């Protein structure tokens, strides 16, 4: 049987690139799609057929998350790798002396922090049955307390710092089941995280995705540092 990977936010950008590189590595991929009118996953489906399963997924909706987990269970009965990639950055807030948009900040927390927790909880029983047992998450250098340098972007940074705390707690509990938890800084990726394609970023999505895939396939020991970049370099909490 082929190994299985579940990737959220797979419509475009890094999530789409992760889907491509795992399909190329002979995985059966379950790709969570939020925007049904975005065509790239359908093009991949034509190429990879039954190795790619496209799931409708809104990580802020518990019913949607549960339905995706049920589908994976029906189709595979287990899961080797989860990559919580779905995330947003949009926030109309300014710095401390400008206007704050708390509605935007709450949406960031719901998507970037609670979204991964909903998804992880939904498929942990399947990961326990898998062989690779990797629970990976796309975090950010913006999560680091030690290396904090920004003077704004409160909502995004806090959402990712809270995600990292979540992941340390998950690892504390899941280590007895052999599940390795990882938090990746993907680099400054040319993607759609700002809503529009960010042409000014420095790293192509495929380069970042390939690096993340390579680090995951190394099957790092549970005791190894969890917070790393796409090249395997350790980041400070």
């Amino acid at each position: 049987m082929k190994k299985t990977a579940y990737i959220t936010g797979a419509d475009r950008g890094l999530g789409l690139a992760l889907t491509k590189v795992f399909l190329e590595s002979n995985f059966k991929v379950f790709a969570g799609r939020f925007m049904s009118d975005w065509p790239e996953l359908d093009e991949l489906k034509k190429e990879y057929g039954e190795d790619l399963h496209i799931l409708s997924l809104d990580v802020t909706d518990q019913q949607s998350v549960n339905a995706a987990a049920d589908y994976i269970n029906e189709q595979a009965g287990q899961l080797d790798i989860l990559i919580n990639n779905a995330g947003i950055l949009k926030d109309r807030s300014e710095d401390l002396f400008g206007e704050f948009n708390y509605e935007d900040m709450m949406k960031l927390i719901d998507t970037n922090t609670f979204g991964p927790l909903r998804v992880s909880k939904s498929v942990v029983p399947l990961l326990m049955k898998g062989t690779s047992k990797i629970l990976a998450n796309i975090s950010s250098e913006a999560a680091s307390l030690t290396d904090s340098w920004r003077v704004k972007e409160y909502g995004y940074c806090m959402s990712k710092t809270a995600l990292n705390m979540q992941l340390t707690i998950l690892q504390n509990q899941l280590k007895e089941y052999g599940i390795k938890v990882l938090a990746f800084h993907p680099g400054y990726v040319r993607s759609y995280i700002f809503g529009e394609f960010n042409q000014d970023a420095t790293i192509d999505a495929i380069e970042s995705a390939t690096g993340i895939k390579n680090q995951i396939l190394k099957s790092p020991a549970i005791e190894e540092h969890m917070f790393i970049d796409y090249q395997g370099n350790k980041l400070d909490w």
Side-chain angles (χ1 to χ4, degrees):
M1 287 182 59
K2 290 188 175 183
K3 287 191 174 183
T4 52
Y6 177 21
I7 300 166
T8 70
D11 312 72
R12 57 189 186 180
L14 181 59
L16 181 66
L18 285 163
T19 300
K20 288 178 180 178
V21 298
F22 275 93
L23 285 169
E24 290 169 355
S25 295
N26 205 32
F27 275 74
K28 181 183 290 291
V29 176
F30 295 91
R33 175 162 66 182
F34 181 66
M35 298 173 293
S36 59
D37 58 344
W38 204 261
E40 276 85 346
L41 280 174
D42 296 314
E43 293 301 316
L44 277 182
K45 178 69 174 176
K46 293 175 184 177
E47 182 177 356
Y48 287 96
E50 292 303 311
D51 285 342
L52 174 59
H53 294 255
I54 303 171
L55 317 178
S56 176
L57 179 66
D58 178 354
V59 300
T60 69
D61 183 322
Q62 189 65 60
Q63 186 175 356
S64 174
V65 169
N66 291 345
D70 290 343
Y71 179 83
I72 296 169
N73 185 38
E74 292 168 3
Q75 295 296 317
Q78 58 86 42
L79 185 63
D80 290 294
I81 296 166
L82 166 64
I83 305 179
N84 281 310
N85 166 76
I88 58 173
L89 193 146
K90 184 180 179 181
D91 185 358
R92 291 165 288 182
S93 302
E94 301 171 14
D95 66 16
L96 187 63
F97 303 109
E99 295 294 324
F100 278 173
N101 189 304
Y102 291 103
E103 183 179 348
D104 284 2
M105 292 188 193
M106 291 300 294
K107 183 65 175 177
L108 285 163
I109 295 289
D110 195 19
T111 305
N112 297 350
T113 308
F114 289 122
L117 188 58
R118 291 184 188 100
V119 173
S120 295
K121 180 175 173 58
S122 74
V123 295
V124 158
L126 299 178
L127 284 170
M128 291 169 63
K129 297 176 183 178
T131 55
S132 299
K133 292 182 168 63
I134 298 288
L135 198 168
N137 302 262
I138 304 304
S139 181
S140 170
E141 53 79 26
S144 176
L145 300 177
T146 301
D147 298 326
S148 175
W149 55 268
R150 289 168 174 78
V151 295
K152 53 183 181 178
E153 297 182 351
Y154 284 87
Y156 181 73
C157 295
M158 289 190 296
S159 74
K160 291 297 189 178
T161 301
L163 171 64
N164 279 9
M165 174 56 76
Q166 172 194 137
L167 301 181
T168 65
I169 298 171
L170 282 172
Q171 186 64 93
N172 290 343
Q173 184 171 17
L174 295 177
K175 60 185 178 183
E176 67 176 284
Y177 302 100
I179 295 174
K180 173 63 176 176
V181 181
L182 289 165
F184 280 102
H185 168 49
Y188 189 24
V189 179
R190 289 190 284 273
S191 71
Y192 293 85
I193 195 166
F194 293 104
E196 300 295 330
F197 187 72
N198 180 18
Q199 193 64 50
D200 296 330
T202 56
I203 300 167
D204 183 76
I206 287 290
E207 178 185 355
S208 177
T210 300
I212 290 167
K213 180 205 70 174
N214 290 342
Q215 296 305 316
I216 288 174
L217 296 187
K218 287 180 180 179
S219 299
I222 288 175
E223 297 76 19
E224 289 188 37
H225 189 68
M226 293 166 52
F227 189 21
I228 59 176
D229 69 12
Y230 71 102
Q231 296 175 315
N233 300 307
K234 295 179 181 179
L235 276 70
D236 293 326
W237 292 110

